[in-house]
């Protein structure tokens, strides 16, 4: 179970670092609004537990980031708007970040950077000269390198979020996503992600794809 009080403190620290000495409004209402979003009933994988995991991975990778606190704010907002039957969640999350962070006193340039990072999670394909994008995307995809039991729990939660999709359609759509990920030259861009997570993640994705694929027709 996620520690909501700890998450509130982590948000306040990131917000205060991003807006600098000029300060701004109390971070607590912004944290509470985001936490309420992350606890909406339609979520099964994109929950506060996922938020916590992404923040933990950002902490693990922060030495590679240009501005770790901006990346942390992007982690908070990257799935803040999430409806499984909608395709524009990242864009709506980015726009929420633009509104909320501007109001909360974050400078325009950093607000724009948070929104850019949120939009980057559509493709998880950051440029080679984008260290903050690499850290956020690696943190978001780190679940793919989970041990077998945790990976199985992840795939189960994803299926539960899409409970309204018929089985055949889900298998087809999920397989397409897995192939898109496997076709990337690298799933992870930070040195740590490349050395510690890449091989396991590809093994997990390949195994899941094989399970989703229909059995070959018997030619006999």
């Amino acid at each position: 179970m996620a520690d909501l009080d700890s998450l509130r403190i982590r948000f306040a620290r990131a917000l205060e670092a991003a807006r600098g000495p000029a300060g701004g409004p109390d971070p607590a209402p912004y944290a509470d609004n985001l936490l309420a979003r992350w606890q909406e009933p339609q979520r099964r994988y994109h929950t506060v537990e996922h938020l916590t995991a992404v923040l933990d991975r950002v902490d693990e990778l922060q030495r590679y980031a240009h501005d770790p606190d901006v990346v942390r704010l992007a982690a908070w907002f990257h799935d803040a708007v999430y409806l499984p039957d909608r395709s524009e969640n990242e864009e709506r999350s980015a726009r929420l970040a633009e509104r909320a962070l501007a109001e909360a006193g974050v400078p325009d340039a950093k607000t724009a950077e948070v929104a850019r990072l949120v939009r980057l999670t559509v493709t998880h394909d950051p440029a080679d000269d984008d260290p903050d994008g690499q850290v956020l995307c690696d943190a978001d995809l780190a679940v793919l390198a989970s041990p077998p039991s945790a990976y199985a729990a992840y795939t189960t939660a994803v299926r539960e979020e899409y409970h309204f999709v018929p089985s055949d359609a889900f298998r087809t759509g999920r397989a397409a996503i897995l192939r898109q990920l496997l076709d990337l030259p690298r799933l992870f861009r930070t040195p740590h992600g490349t050395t510690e997570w890449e091989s396991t993640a590809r093994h997990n994705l390949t195994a899941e794809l094989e399970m989703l694929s229909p059995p070959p027709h018997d030619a006999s």
Side-chain angles (χ1 to χ4, degrees):
M1 191 70 179
D3 184 338
L4 299 185
D5 288 337
S6 175
L7 285 169
R8 290 184 182 95
I9 292 169
R10 294 173 81 170
F11 176 80
R13 287 174 178 167
L15 178 64
E16 288 165 354
R19 65 191 183 188
D26 182 356
Y30 297 94
D32 287 342
N33 178 274
L34 287 165
L35 288 170
R37 291 173 178 274
W38 282 95
Q39 295 177 88
E40 291 165 342
Q42 75 276 12
R43 298 169 183 258
R44 294 296 182 272
Y45 169 63
H46 294 90
T47 61
V48 286
E49 286 76 22
H50 171 60
L51 170 62
T52 301
V54 174
L55 290 169
D56 288 347
R57 298 293 80 76
V58 171
D59 287 350
E60 189 174 353
L61 300 171
Q62 65 176 323
R63 64 188 181 276
Y64 304 114
H66 171 70
D67 192 334
D69 288 301
V70 162
V71 179
R72 290 184 180 99
L73 290 175
W76 273 92
F77 281 95
H78 83 284
D79 283 318
V81 178
Y82 187 77
L83 294 171
D85 60 343
R86 303 286 288 271
S87 62
E88 70 278 13
N89 290 313
E90 293 86 357
E91 178 59 30
R92 294 178 67 202
S93 295
R95 292 179 182 177
L96 175 66
E98 289 169 338
R99 296 192 302 271
L101 293 177
E103 180 183 295
V106 176
D108 291 347
K110 291 193 175 186
T111 295
E113 177 65 357
V114 170
R116 183 191 72 81
L117 292 170
V118 171
R119 292 182 173 104
L120 189 59
T121 61
V122 175
T123 61
H124 293 98
D125 191 15
D128 290 340
D129 62 349
D130 183 8
D132 288 347
Q134 292 174 2
V135 168
L136 178 64
C137 289
D138 278 18
D140 195 25
L141 292 182
V143 65
L144 302 180
S146 299
S149 61
Y151 190 84
Y154 152 68
T155 59
T156 297
V158 170
R159 181 64 182 107
E160 289 174 354
E161 278 191 344
Y162 288 89
H163 64 89
F164 54 89
V165 178
S167 295
D168 287 348
F170 178 81
R171 283 196 297 269
T172 299
R174 179 68 179 172
I177 292 171
L178 297 177
R179 290 190 189 97
Q180 181 182 21
L181 289 168
L182 286 167
D183 284 344
L184 291 172
R186 291 179 294 163
L187 289 166
F188 300 102
R189 304 302 181 88
T190 63
H192 182 86
T194 299
T195 59
E196 300 297 327
W197 299 338
E198 184 81 21
S199 177
T200 301
R202 287 192 177 275
H203 173 80
N204 286 337
L205 291 171
T206 301
E208 184 186 356
L209 183 59
E210 289 174 353
M211 291 180 61
L212 292 171
S213 301
H217 293 294
D218 190 346
S220 61

